[in-house]
Amino acid sequence: MQVISFVALAAGLIIGLGAIGACIGIGIMGSKYLESAARQPELMNELQTKMFLLAGLIDAAFIIGTGIALWFATANPFLAQIANLPK
């Protein structure tokens, strides 16, 4: 069935693009943290706390996207509705 292949393609795109976005985001954030810590070393502890908080949020967004993609790949609620469409 064609619909199942589209679901697999969409799940792969969600996971792949989410991973790329999370990696780029954490890389940019880490470089900006090092840059700002080098400019003002007295703020390093505050900046480090904020950086780890944002790293957790970026990773959480990727993990939620991965969970949704895997849910659609294994138990897609839309496939039953597509199967019941009149032909």
Side-chain angles (χ1 to χ4, degrees):
M1 185 175 230
Q2 266 186 352
V3 176
I4 295 173
S5 62
F6 288 140
V7 170
L9 181 65
L13 284 173
I14 290 171
I15 293 171
L17 294 176
I20 290 172
C23 289
I24 291 172
I26 289 179
I28 291 172
M29 183 183 59
S31 71
K32 295 297 181 180
Y33 164 71
L34 290 175
E35 185 179 314
S36 61
R39 289 181 188 217
Q40 292 184 331
E42 65 273 4
L43 293 177
M44 188 185 284
N45 289 335
E46 293 177 32
L47 293 172
Q48 185 178 17
T49 303
K50 292 176 184 174
M51 187 197 74
F52 282 125
L53 178 68
L54 288 174
L57 291 173
I58 291 170
D59 280 343
F62 166 64
I63 290 170
I64 289 169
T66 301
I68 291 171
L70 292 175
W71 176 51
F72 281 149
T74 57
N76 192 343
F78 301 118
L79 287 179
Q81 292 179 359
I82 290 172
N84 292 333
L85 288 175
K87 294 184 180 186

